[in-house]
Amino acid sequence: MPSRYRSALGAASAAIIAIAAGAVAPGGPAVAATTPTATAAGLTRVIVEYDDPDAAALAVSRAGGKVGRPLSVVDGFVAEVPSQRLSALKTAPGVRGVTVDGTVSLSAARWRADGDSNSMFSVVRATGALDVWKKLDSSGRNIAGTGVGVALIDSGVSPVTGLNDTTRIINGPDLSFESQASNLRYTDTFGHGTHMAGLIAGRDPLTNLLTVSDPSNFTGMAPNATLLSVKVAAADGATDVSQVIAGIDWVVQHRNDPGLNIKVLNLSFGTDSNQDEKLDPLSHAVESAWKKGITVVVSGGNDGTTRANLSMPAVNPYVIAVGAADSKGTDSRADDVVADFSSRGNATRSVDLTAPGRSIVGLRDPGSYVDVNYPTGLVPGDTTGRYFRGSGSSQAAAITSGAVALLLQQRPSLTPDQVKKLLTSTADVMPQAEKLGSGAGELNIRRAIEAPTPTTAAQTWTASSGTGSLEASRGTAHVADPTSGVELTGEKDIMGKAWNGTTWGKAATAGTAWSGGSWNGAAWTGTAMSTGSFPGLPTAKTWSSVNWSGTNWDGRTWSGRTWSGATWDGRTWSGRTWSGNTWSGRTWSGSYWSSSIWQ
């Protein structure tokens, strides 16, 4: 951080701090000047400078303090901390410095979505979705995603307000390690999937789409779309590539099931595999889905300029790879740039377009892993406690998936290639952004809806085969057995079944990789949709589950696990009580879910 900002943190520079803390849009949080005294609760107001925002926020929480409004211009945030813990806080990991400054108060005004350019209230306007909702399809229905199924392969979806409509939100199979615990099955213990689901298809009860003028309502991009959750990740985000591939194969095989009509697949996930995309199994899985008529939207990755490739499977040239745009905190798109963390790729394969992806306010999943471990994601001034802020190409992909659902309600016969052509040919130019990493520009769904159907959109890339290595597809991400610590490596899936890329590749191409509830020679899930299986939501549609038999990759029996030993009720869960039981990612990084920045 420049020294001119570092020196500005004392009481003598109250004007600079006031600008950093209080220069917000009308209705947003305000910071009041006070005298430098302790609060009524015995807490001292301080400004915390950080090297790592999440680590610094966690240090404040552990010190018994409270994190307040971020001060991004000075790489810090406002906090209140017990006086006796200040010395320890100054030396905590991630903390660069702590300055007592009574000029900043945590008594922020109520946060309002209409005063935040990164709220979904603002995003649906900036992308043109609000204008699209007012248009009609050929049947006279408002275009809001009605009848279009969006499959979300992620960490599950929790039934928070905005995602508790059982007529639209459906639980597909739970292929995660938590599927074996009845109190964890289908539930989002990680928090990532819930955030994505809200951006795609969230909608508060009784919301009027024609007059969405109340900023207290939350509305995703396609608020009438059907959202199918396919859970593959456990509480810390850990999942194996074989689980993700199995999820994609399931979506392809069940895309036309009654009530689903899956036309869009959102995958806010990627590995650092460097395998040829024509051979990589994960790449082949998404390409097979694409060629079966499913528009696949994939996050480009969060490696910024540090890696010369997009993540896998975004490198596949068929799918829609999305990068994250940074609004710079304004409503105008003229100053938008590629977010610093968004993967640039290379001249051969970069993202196809960008969408809002910096500090996006989505639905919070209380008690989930990210909620507990990333307090900087909480929205200061949010009196409802419903919202959580995250940055990543994950969010950009989810917003784009919702936009695709709008297009496919308007024109159900569009091919995935035509959808891609429409989005890229109508994207807004980003004059301030670098070309590499911005693709065709920034998503504008209103222009795409108004554009004619392209007649020359067919992609003719060399077809993939999927005959490559499953281990290479994992990149450096591996899950580990929580008891033995043995990592899953080599050419086998989580069930310990040998991987034959040639056999699987042909089945994936044909859309026949599943046989009932079995995949790759083992039973993973049930065979039918039912109601009444989701706690608290007796009308929720849920795919049936099975008890896993046999052994895992380490030769340990699934039946011997005490899956219900972890406490989860949506309120009391914490990382400490769960860590002893989770299927941990010993070399796993949450960044593979393309949304590692929760702030």
Side-chain angles (χ1 to χ4, degrees):
M1 183 175 61
S3 59
R4 64 188 178 94
Y5 288 143
R6 192 173 296 125
S7 64
L9 293 175
S13 57
I16 293 179
I17 295 299
I19 291 172
V24 295
V31 179
T34 67
T35 55
T37 58
T39 68
L43 303 178
T44 299
R45 298 184 182 92
V46 297
I47 296 168
V48 179
E49 295 179 82
Y50 56 69
D51 293 315
D52 182 329
D54 294 320
L58 188 59
V60 169
S61 178
R62 287 174 173 170
K66 298 184 294 184
V67 175
R69 179 172 173 77
L71 306 177
S72 57
V73 72
V74 294
D75 285 340
F77 53 78
V78 180
E80 290 182 352
V81 182
S83 302
Q84 66 272 23
R85 303 299 300 275
L86 288 177
S87 296
L89 180 61
K90 291 178 180 179
T91 60
V95 176
R96 179 184 295 148
V98 178
T99 304
V100 176
D101 196 321
T103 61
V104 179
S105 169
L106 292 181
S107 57
R110 180 174 176 267
W111 174 83
R112 287 178 60 94
D114 55 354
D116 189 326
S117 62
N118 297 315
S119 69
M120 285 307 292
F121 184 85
S122 298
V123 168
V124 297
R125 287 159 173 75
T127 59
L130 181 64
D131 297 325
V132 172
W133 298 342
K134 299 174 183 178
K135 298 179 181 293
L136 304 179
D137 66 10
S138 60
S139 299
R141 302 172 301 179
N142 293 98
I143 300 174
T146 303
V148 179
V150 181
L152 174 65
I153 298 178
D154 213 288
S155 58
V157 176
S158 291
V160 298
T161 300
L163 291 171
N164 56 354
D165 182 352
T166 57
T167 66
R168 296 189 306 111
I169 312 301
I170 299 173
N171 288 312
D174 186 339
L175 307 178
S176 74
F177 298 121
E178 293 174 348
S179 67
Q180 301 305 288
S182 60
N183 60 330
L184 304 177
R185 191 177 301 135
Y186 312 115
T187 305
D188 183 10
T189 55
F190 185 36
H192 187 275
T194 299
H195 206 260
M196 301 305 109
L199 305 185
I200 296 170
R203 188 186 75 206
D204 279 359
L206 305 179
T207 300
N208 184 341
L209 299 179
L210 298 182
T211 58
V212 184
S213 57
D214 184 353
S216 66
N217 287 334
F218 181 89
T219 314
M221 290 289 290
N224 281 359
T226 299
L227 189 133
L228 176 82
S229 169
V230 178
K231 179 176 175 179
V232 297
D236 58 356
T239 188
D240 184 59
V241 163
S242 62
Q243 292 166 286
V244 178
I245 294 172
I248 297 169
D249 286 345
W250 190 95
V251 167
V252 171
Q253 204 149 330
H254 292 270
R255 66 191 183 281
N256 295 322
D257 282 8
L260 295 186
N261 190 33
I262 300 171
K263 304 291 288 184
V264 189
L265 191 159
N266 185 92
L267 190 60
S268 293
F269 169 89
T271 75
D272 57 359
S273 169
N274 290 315
Q275 189 168 203
D276 187 325
E277 69 275 5
K278 294 186 293 296
L279 301 177
D280 189 275
L282 182 58
S283 172
H284 182 64
V286 295
E287 184 176 317
S288 296
W290 186 273
K291 291 180 177 179
K292 289 297 183 180
I294 301 174
T295 301
V296 182
V297 182
V298 182
S299 52
N302 286 348
D303 293 313
T305 59
T306 62
R307 188 167 179 265
N309 295 318
L310 298 181
S311 61
M312 185 68 74
V315 293
N316 185 288
Y318 279 96
V319 301
I320 299 174
V322 186
D326 183 348
S327 72
K328 307 298 288 185
T330 71
D331 291 330
S332 171
R333 287 198 156 188
D335 61 351
D336 288 9
V337 296
V338 179
D340 54 0
F341 55 79
S342 188
S343 293
R344 269 45 172 190
N346 53 56
T348 300
R349 178 57 169 150
S350 185
V351 298
D352 295 298
L353 77 163
T354 66
R358 165 74 78 178
S359 299
I360 304 300
V361 178
L363 294 175
R364 177 187 173 209
D365 184 9
S368 64
Y369 182 88
V370 296
D371 186 57
V372 171
N373 288 277
Y374 296 93
T376 49
L378 297 172
V379 179
D382 168 26
T383 58
T384 69
R386 295 184 57 202
Y387 301 117
F388 207 76
R389 195 184 295 275
S391 299
S393 56
S394 273
Q395 281 78 3
I399 288 169
T400 302
S401 290
V404 172
L406 301 181
L407 262 180
L408 289 170
Q409 180 192 338
Q410 183 205 31
R411 285 172 268 186
S413 62
L414 288 174
T415 66
D417 286 353
Q418 288 175 318
V419 170
K420 184 174 182 178
K421 181 70 172 181
L422 278 168
L423 293 185
T424 54
S425 64
T426 59
D428 288 335
V429 175
M430 303 174 69
Q432 301 300 317
E434 57 196 288
K435 179 59 180 175
L436 189 64
S438 61
E442 195 167 0
L443 174 70
N444 187 324
I445 188 57
R446 178 186 58 79
R447 291 181 60 191
I449 287 284
E450 295 173 350
T453 300
T455 56
T456 56
Q459 301 184 95
T460 57
W461 306 104
T462 302
S464 65
S465 66
T467 57
S469 165
L470 185 66
E471 170 60 21
S473 191
R474 295 182 177 109
T476 58
H478 297 86
V479 292
D481 184 288
T483 303
S484 66
V486 173
E487 294 181 357
L488 171 54
T489 60
E491 303 306 313
K492 55 187 174 183
D493 63 22
I494 64 166
M495 301 292 186
K497 296 293 185 179
W499 180 258
N500 185 316
T502 300
T503 301
W504 168 82
K506 292 178 180 178
T509 299
T512 58
W514 281 83
S515 176
S518 296
W519 185 82
N520 199 35
W524 286 56
T525 189
T527 58
M529 192 75 75
S530 63
T531 58
S533 301
F534 197 86
L537 288 177
T539 61
K541 297 176 183 178
T542 301
W543 192 260
S544 59
S545 62
V546 296
N547 293 323
W548 290 351
S549 61
T551 61
N552 72 350
W553 65 89
D554 189 31
R556 295 175 180 270
T557 60
W558 294 110
S559 59
R561 302 295 178 189
T562 308
W563 291 97
S564 59
T567 300
W568 169 262
D569 64 6
R571 296 182 300 276
T572 62
W573 181 90
S574 72
R576 291 183 297 277
T577 61
W578 176 250
S579 60
N581 298 304
T582 188
W583 289 89
S584 60
R586 297 297 175 87
T587 57
W588 181 265
S589 168
S591 65
Y592 286 103
W593 282 105
S594 303
S595 186
S596 58
I597 310 166
W598 297 99
Q599 61 182 60

